[in-house]
Amino acid sequence: MKKFSEAQIYSALAIALLSASTITPPSRAQSSTTNFFCGSSNGVPATIARTPQGEVPMILWNSPNLVSSGDTPQKSCEEVSSRLQTYYNNGTLKYFTTGFRNGQTVVCVAQEENGSCSGEPLFALNSNGSTPRDSLQRIFRIRVASAAPISESTQPVYISLDKFLNGQYTPMGSASNRSKPENSDRPQ
């Protein structure tokens, strides 16, 4: 039987450890831990994010700040939820913000704070006499602190997906605005 020297044993151990440390973790698309789907919150169609911490209602499709596209709230919910999943899977969904397309204020996604809109807009925004910044915060039922003085707060707001899903924004109105989704026949 062949005996191995201490140097050979330590060399083999070092090679094994180095090999194990170079294994790369799966990409975000492969290990997606957040899924977006159209469900229901208090009887209203809602875009919901399923995270490891639970389900978070994001957009309630009865908001007066949403411009009707001619589709039912249910159909709009399904389409936007599907687009959010696509944007999330390809890494472009980091922030929600507003922009302008065809003379209309729209809600879109951005890859970075203060970045421009990526991809197709999610939906048109009805400002109802208020700023797009205020309307977007109403849709997500949160308040985002402004870096600018109040008189200059017409700058676009950037809502971080991670902060939203982790409840790091101040809820607007009562606690019922972040109500639990109803568990029915949602995909897993």
Side-chain angles (χ1 to χ4, degrees):
M1 184 167 164
K2 185 176 180 182
K3 292 197 176 203
F4 295 100
S5 70
E6 268 187 63
Q8 289 173 318
I9 292 172
Y10 285 124
S11 293
L13 183 59
I15 290 170
L17 288 174
L18 285 174
S19 296
S21 69
T22 61
I23 296 172
T24 56
S27 71
R28 182 176 186 175
Q30 293 171 332
S31 64
S32 178
T33 57
T34 300
N35 293 300
F36 300 90
F37 62 93
C38 182
S40 180
S41 181
N42 296 327
V44 175
T47 294
I48 299 171
R50 181 179 291 121
T51 72
Q53 293 79 31
E55 293 179 351
V56 180
M58 296 184 63
I59 302 166
L60 302 181
W61 288 92
N62 67 346
S63 172
N65 293 100
L66 299 169
V67 171
S68 174
S69 65
D71 292 330
T72 66
Q74 181 69 32
K75 184 164 173 54
S76 296
C77 176
E78 290 168 3
E79 288 178 2
V80 169
S81 300
S82 175
R83 269 190 268 157
L84 287 177
Q85 189 66 54
T86 299
Y87 292 149
Y88 181 82
N89 289 346
N90 71 23
T92 57
L93 175 53
K94 305 286 187 200
Y95 292 89
F96 295 95
T97 191
T98 57
F100 292 96
R101 289 269 169 99
N102 302 323
Q104 198 169 30
T105 304
V106 295
V107 175
C108 54
V109 300
Q111 291 181 323
E112 59 189 19
E113 194 165 5
N114 298 319
S116 59
C117 290
S118 299
E120 287 296 310
L122 296 173
F123 51 86
L125 189 63
N126 183 357
S127 296
N128 292 327
S130 61
T131 66
R133 173 187 186 87
D134 290 339
S135 296
L136 185 60
Q137 291 177 93
R138 277 192 210 104
I139 287 171
F140 282 92
R141 302 163 322 282
I142 59 168
R143 295 246 182 244
V144 179
S146 175
I150 293 173
S151 62
E152 297 177 25
S153 64
T154 57
Q155 294 296 317
V157 66
Y158 286 80
I159 297 174
S160 163
L161 174 67
D162 289 337
K163 285 183 180 181
F164 183 83
L165 294 179
N166 290 311
Q168 294 176 328
Y169 290 114
T170 303
M172 189 179 280
S174 69
S176 65
N177 285 336
R178 293 281 297 246
S179 61
K180 296 284 184 199
E182 300 159 2
N183 280 335
S184 57
D185 54 330
R186 284 195 237 31
Q188 290 295 322

